[in-house]
Each structure stands twice: as structure tokens, then as C-alpha cells.
């Protein structure tokens, strides 16, 4: 009997001298290592079955970039020394493959072209990481260990949703995202093309959808964009060889203000609207009482279906608020005519009319879980469960299919941690660590349910403003594309394994060990990612101070630290063993992968819990950030703490040091706009905290707020403290 990977690795590390550690993600079903290796040379031939020309060309192109060799391709049978791609109709599991590497050649056979593509991905993961580089890499031994791998996915649906509506990612980024998904055997891209903040798909019959609906703001502040129908064809073509199905999502009845801005007659009231420049959830639903709305949907879906070959069309359907339907005479007339009792049942009525349109086109409808929760549907649909994975039971009861995309595990717009300095991110759920994402169990939650698989979601409302707002501190960069990758990686790898690998074969520790080898691969791909902070294994308080013992979170990556409260860099002292410091709040440590990629510093935040009656902790000052007797501006991020119109109390508390903090005045800004300020000198010392009251009258959700205080240390800079923000009225 063939051995499973875990047993094999255990016995191998003891007995097979020279056997290489195998770090494939997602973890394959069965791996058998053998003696010897295959060496790629400029003479290596790529041979293939005639249906596999696309896959062979793909492989030729990858090798062409990194090795600089123009390998020859030949349709036909396997030859000694060649890499051979074939289809094996006896393989029963869709997308399954077998990869056999021997010193005299490589054989990849797949159940279908997708399976062959996955065999190629596994082969590439066995080559040195440089194989992914598009520029010729010199002095690399292009070798692969002899091995046999049999593999197939446990779930047919392994998806990502990319929100190109809130923030417009251009077609090159979309292609790159697809390429990265495919590297980890993800096969469905839910293309979130429509939302309140933007309409991104060219529809020839309704040109204003993109002339107006794709753009927010005015003149030089205008931003947005859309895909032409030619762009869409190019994206689909690119995805096809990578076995990624691109599924268009046309959102209605809510999340479509961009369409209403273009054609106000779509809404119940028909009032003029603008594409919002901030994250905004509109209540202008499409009116279900006007036949023109159905004609619009029919036309848009006709063009969409003719562009996208996917057997699925996603109709969104989430988060509708029905006030306008409740008061619209036309919508109310439909309710009466159809004998419906609740405005929300009108969504079911609308979905049924669209189901009929899609049936004529032989397409299956997908939508967020709300589509099966509002009224009774006439046909089977696929529901994306985003609240609670256990709710998939609802799909079974109603005969539908389900996909798991719970916000708790799969929404990658949540931060990975609460570590100070973490990027701005969604806040309505706790952070999602790599381990948390990995802990999602892609099982059926009831007997006989139809869980197709799992899907991650990258919403972009956190970077709707693109380059203006966001900054990734550790990278000192602010491009939204980098930011999107920072959110996505490495958590995508965790979700990819959840979808591909059988639950019984998954173990986080083993995944984390393999993951350490993939950062170099992401680097070669030119893909940004978040680096995990070092972990604190032990803290001991003693007479000499506090001793920190750290553990690596990326095997083999150096840890660097500081002991004076400053921000560590790639040049800070190398951690080689326990470090003793006199003040535990001054210890900082980072994981360094390379000069561009290092983690946020872990550190022992001062415990401010005794001050929580002053409100939310919002920032701290230290001697290093204060000048003696020379007032300088200190900017404090108040985003999230300013939560609506009202009065806010800003309190400064000194927690250490011998000099007092002198504050010459304080100002509150919304973006660059001054909202309020107080020009009065106050002094903070250990006995006296200082509070200011400021007023907000023009709050906007999703906008950055900043406090600016003019501060100095009186007679010296020996002062430490913190600032708190509290809302004092409603
Ligand atoms: C969603 O997060 N509104 C599907
Ligand atoms: Zn209406």
C-alpha cells in the first residue's frame, strides 16, 4: 500500500538521505518520493495530447521566462527526457491529476484539462521558487526530485470574490489575481462588477451605465473605470487556460446606486442621484413595480450572458432595505396583485422573474444567502452563505446548493491581527488570522446538503479611494493593488487548502510549516503579502528586568528586535536567544523575510485599562517622540473613534516620566478639512490629565479623521502618556 504524506515525511526525514521536503499547497492526497531527480535542460521537449496545446504553451511560457530557454513543443506521445501532458479518461474525479517525475522524464495526466493544469502547478511547486520569475534567472539548478503524486480536489468550488466595484482594479490586476488563484488551484472568480460605488461592465444597450455609473467625483478628483466588452473577453481567455471560471455578479435589487445614477427611472422615486465618493449603502432599490425594470434586467443579463460562458450568473441580492418598496404605489400594487404579505417577498418575486430569464439561457443563478431567504423560489439556486456556515442547512431544506463564505473566516478585508499599526480594515468582526481562516471546515452541515465548496471574499470598500487614503506601514507604500494583495496573501493559501484538501488530512501546524516556503514563491511572482509577527513563547519577570523568549512564525526567517521602544528595521539586532530588557513596553520584534517584506512589530502595549472611563485609547507619546520646550505637531488617527455627529472629549493622561507635556492647542480634521479646534495652552502631568471638547457636525462614514495637537516637553522630554477619545452626547 502507498504511504500517505505525513507518514512518508516522518520516515523520510529519518531514513531517506537526500530526500527533499515537499511543501505543496494545497496538500495533495498522496505523495511517494523516489530516488533521483529530473533535470530540465534547454533540450527538454514538451509533448502533449492534442487537446492540451493551451496547457503545453502555458508551461513553455513559464519556463521561457525564468530559464530563458525556448523549449520545443510537440503534439504526440511521451518521449524519453520529455515532459508529457496527457488526458486520462479513466480518471474519474474532475480536476484530478497524476504527476510522475523520474530521472528520465515527467508525466502529467489529468482527468480533464483543468486536472492537467493542476499537475503543472504541482510540478512548478517542486522546482526552485525562481521558476515563477518572468525574467531569466541565472545559476539556478532547474531540478525536481523524483516523485509520484496522485491528487484531486475534495470540493468542486474553490473561489474568490474580487470587489472591483468599490475600487476599480484594472484588467491587468484582475489577470494577476486570477493567476495567483490558479497557482493554488482555486477555480472560481466571482467578479463583483456592480455596487453602489461603481458600475464596471460595458453594456452596449445602456451606455450611461459606464459613462456615468463608472465614475465618482468631479474634474481632477474624478476616479473609477470600467471594463470594455473586449477587456472582459481578454480576462476570460486568460482565465480559461488557468482553469478559472469567471462568474459575473450583477447586483440587484440593492447595491446598484451606480445604475440609478445613470438611469434614475430605475428607482421607485426616479430622483437624480450621484455615484458616491465615499463608501455608501444606498436604499434606492430597483423598482419592482415598473415593467421597464424587468426589461432593463433582461437586456443587461442578455449581454452579460453572451459575454460570459460561465454556466453561472450571480445576481447579488444582499442587504436590501425595503422602505422605498413599502411606500411606492407601483411596488405596492405588485404586492397586492401577487398576494404577497411583506415587502421582502417582492425580492422573491423579482428573483423568480429573473430565474425564468436565466432558465431560457440555460444558466444557474447564484446569489448571496438572502436570495433564498426572501420569498419562495421556483427553481434551484446556489446561495453564498456569508453569515454563518451552519445556515447552509437552509439551502438543503429548500433544495438549493450552498457555498461557504462566512465573514468570520473568509472575508479577507478584515485585518489579520489587532497588532498596533495593522492596516485600516473592516471592523465589524474580529480579525481573521491565517489559522482562523484555515480552521473553516468545508463540510456539509446537514446530511444530504449540497455544499459545493468555499469562497474567500475581498471587498474593497476599505480602499475605495485608492492611493489617496491608504498606507501599508511596513512597506511604506500606498498603492491599493499592494494593499489588496496584502489582505489576500497568505490567507488565500489557507482557504485554497480548505477547499482542496480533505478535512481529515488537514492540520494547521503542518500547513504553517509548508507555508514558510511559499513567501519566496510569492516574491518571485511579484505578489505582495503580509508577514506574520514573531510569537512570544515566554515572558519572565525577574530582578534584571523582563526576559522575552520568541518563536519564529516563519521557519528560517530571521527575527530582529529593539529594546528602546523604537521601530525595528531589517538592520536592528538579530534575535538569537532570550533578550532581557528593563521595561517590557520598550521591547519590539519583527519577522524579516527580505528587505521589502517584514512584519509589524510585536510589542507589549502598555495596559491602559485603568483609563478606559476616558474613552477609547487613540495614541501614545514617548520621550523619543517629544521635543523639549519646542512645540511640534502630533497627529493622532481618530478614524473609527469619531463615529457620528456630536461632542467628543479628548483626554491626555501622563503615565510616566519627570517632565510634563505642554499642549498649545488641538485641532480636529476630517480628511484635510478643519472641523473644530481649541487654541489654549494646557499642561499634563502625573496628577493632572487634560480634556478638550470638540464638536463634529458633518460626519461622513468611511472618512479619515485626524487630531493634531501641538506638544512639547516642559524642561525636558522625559514624558510618556496616552490620549483617549470619548463621545459625550448623542
Ligand atoms: C455581503 O457581505 N454583503 C454579502
Ligand atoms: Zn417601486
Amino acid at each position: 500500500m502507498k504511504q500517505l504524506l505525513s507518514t512518508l515525511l516522518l520516515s523520510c526525514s529519518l531514513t531517506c538521505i537526500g530526500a527533499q521536503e515537499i511543501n505543496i499547497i494545497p496538500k495533495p492526497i498522496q505523495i511517494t518520493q523516489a530516488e533521483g531527480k529530473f533535470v530540465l535542460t534547454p533540450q527538454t521537449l514538451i509533448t502533449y495530447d492534442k487537446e492540451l496545446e493551451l496547457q503545453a504553451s502555458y508551461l513553455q511560457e513559464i519556463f521561457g521566462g525564468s530559464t530563458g530557454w525556448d523549449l520545443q513543443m510537440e503534439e504526440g506521445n511521451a518521449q524519453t527526457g520529455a515532459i508529457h501532458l496527457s488526458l486520462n479518461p479513466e480518471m474519474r474525479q474532475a480536476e484530478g491529476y497524476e504527476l510522475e517525475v523520474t530521472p528520465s522524464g515527467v508525466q502529467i495526466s489529468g482527468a480533464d484539462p483543468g486536472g492537467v493544469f493542476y499537475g503543472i502547478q504541482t510540478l512548478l511547486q517542486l522546482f526552485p521558487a525562481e521558476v515563477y520569475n518572468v525574467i531569466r534567472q541565472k545559476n539556478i539548478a532547474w531540478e525536481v526530485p523524483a516523485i509520484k503524486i496522485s491528487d484531486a480536489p475534495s470540493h468542486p468550488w474553490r473561489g474568490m470574490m474580487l470587489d472591483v466595484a468599490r475600487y476599480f482594479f484594472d484588467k491587468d490586476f484582475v489577470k494577476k489575481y486570477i493567476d495567483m488563484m490558479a497557482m493554488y488551484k482555486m477555480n472560481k472568480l466571482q467578479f463583483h462588477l456592480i455596487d453602489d460605488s461603481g458600475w464596471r461592465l460595458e453594456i452596449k444597450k445602456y451606455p450611461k451605465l459606464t459613462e456615468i455609473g463608472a465614475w465618482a467625483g468631479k474634474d481632477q478628483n474624478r476616479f473609477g473605470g470600467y471594463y470594455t466588452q473586449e477587456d472582459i473577453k481578454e480576462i476570460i481567455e486568460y482565465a480559461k487556460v488557468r482553469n478559472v471560471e469567471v462568474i459575473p455578479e450583477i447586483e440587484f435589487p440593492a447595491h446598484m446606486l451606480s445604475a440609478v445614477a445613470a438611469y434614475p427611472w430605475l428607482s421607485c422615486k426616479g430622483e437624480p442621484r450621484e455615484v458616491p465618493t465615499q463608501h455608501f449603502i444606498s436604499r434606492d432599490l430597483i423598482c419592482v413595480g415598473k415593467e421597464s425594470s424587468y426589461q432593463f434586467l433582461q437586456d443587461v443579463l442578455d449581454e452579460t450572458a453572451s459575454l460570459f460562458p460561465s454556466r453561472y450568473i450571480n445576481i447579488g441580492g444582499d442587504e436590501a432595505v425595503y422602505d422605498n418598496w413599502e411606500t411606492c404605489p407601483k411596488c405596492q400594487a405588485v404586492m397586492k396583485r401577487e398576494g404577497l404579505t411583506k415587502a421582502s417577498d417582492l425580492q422573491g418575486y423579482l428573483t423568480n422573474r429573473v430565474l425564468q430569464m436565466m432558465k431560457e439561457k440555460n444558466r444557474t443563478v447564484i446569489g448571496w444567502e438572502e436570495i433564498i431567504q426572501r420569498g419562495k423560489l421556483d427553481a434551484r439556486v446556489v446561495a453564498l452563505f456569508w453569515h454563518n456556515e451552519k445556515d447552509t442547512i437552509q439551502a438543503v431544506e429548500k433544495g438549493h446548493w450552498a457555498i461557504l463564505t462566512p465573514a468570520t473566516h473568509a472575508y479577507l478585508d478584515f485585518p489579520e491581527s489587532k497588532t498596533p499599526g495593522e492596516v485600516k480594515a473592516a471592523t465589524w468582526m474580529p480579525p481573521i488570522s491565517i489559522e482562523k481562516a484555515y480552521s473553516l471546515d468545508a463540510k456539509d452541515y446537514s446530511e444530504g446538503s449540497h455544499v459545493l465548496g468555499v469562497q474567500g471574499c475581498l471587498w474593497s470598500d476599505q480602499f475605495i479611494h485608492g492611493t489617496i487614503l491608504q498606507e501599508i506601514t511596513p512597506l511604506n507604500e500606498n498603492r491599493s493593488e499592494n494593499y489588496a494583495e496584502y489582505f489576500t496573501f497568505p490567507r488565500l493559501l489557507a482557504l485554497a487548502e480548505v477547499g482542496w484538501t480533505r478535512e481529515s488530512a488537514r492540520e494547521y501546524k503542518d500547513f504553517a510549516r509548508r507555508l514558510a516556503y511559499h513567501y519566496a514563491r510569492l516574491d518571485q511572482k511579484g505578489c505582495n503579502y503580509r508577514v506574520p509577527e514573531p510569537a512570544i513563547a515566554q515572558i519572565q519577570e525577574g530582578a534584571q528586568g523582563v526576559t522575552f523568549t520568541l518563536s519564529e512564525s516563519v521557519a528560517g526567517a530571521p527575527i530582529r528586535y529593539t529594546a528602546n521602544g523604537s521601530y525595528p528595521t531589517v538592520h536592528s539586532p538579530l534575535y538569537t536567544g532570550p533578550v532581557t530588557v528593563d521595561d517590557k513596553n520598550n521591547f519590539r520584534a519583527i519577522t524579516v523575510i527580505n528587505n521589502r517584506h517584514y512584519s509589524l512589530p510585536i510589542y507589549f502595549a502598555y495596559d491602559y485599562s485603568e483609563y478606559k472611563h476616558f474613552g477609547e485609547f487613540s495614541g501614545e507619546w514617548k520621550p523619543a517622540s517629544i521635543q523639549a520646550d519646542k512645540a511640534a505637531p502630533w497627529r493622532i488617527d481618530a478614524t473609527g473613534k469619531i463615529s457620528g455627529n456630536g461632542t467628543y472629549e479628548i483626554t491626555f493622561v501622563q503615565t510616566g516620566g519627570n517632565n510634563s507635556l505642554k499642549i498649545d492647542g488641538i485641532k480636529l480634521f476630517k480628511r484635510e478639512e478643519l472641523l473644530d479646534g481649541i487654541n489654549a495652552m494646557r499642561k499634563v502631568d502625573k496628577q493632572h490629565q487634560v480634556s478638550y471638547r470638540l464638536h463634529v457636525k458633518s460626519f461622513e462614514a468611511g472618512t479619515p479623521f485626524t487630531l493634531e495637537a501641538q506638544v512639547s516637553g516642559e524642561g525636558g522630554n522625559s514624558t510618556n502618556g496616552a490620549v483617549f477619545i470619548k463621545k459625550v452626547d448623542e
Side-chain angles (χ1 to χ4, degrees), residues 252-281:
F252 57 86
H255 285 290
M256 54 177 292
L257 183 61
S258 52
V260 172
Y263 297 103
W265 49 263
L266 286 169
S267 73
C268 289
K269 293 189 181 142
E271 290 167 352
R273 290 283 184 262
E274 288 190 352
V275 177
T277 55
Q278 304 290 333
H279 176 48
F280 177 69
I281 300 185

Side-chain angles (χ1 to χ4, degrees), residues 268 287-289 324-325 328 330-331:
C268 289
C287 178
V288 283
N324 283 336
W325 286 359
C328 168
K330 292 192 171 79
C331 287

Side-chain angles (χ1 to χ4, degrees), residues 161 166 249 251 255 281 318-319 368-370 384 386-387 407 411 428 457 459:
M161 183 220 67
R166 266 65 169 270
E249 181 185 359
E251 269 266 26
H255 285 290
I281 300 185
D318 57 320
E319 296 188 307
W368 300 104
E369 63 189 60
E370 285 94 329
L384 291 149
W386 60 282
H387 281 102
Y411 271 29
W428 55 276
C457 291
W459 297 101

Side-chain angles (χ1 to χ4, degrees), residues 119 218 324-325 375 395 488 522 647 685 729:
K218 293 209 162 51
N324 283 336
W325 286 359
T488 305
L522 298 177
T647 302
D685 60 33
D729 62 6

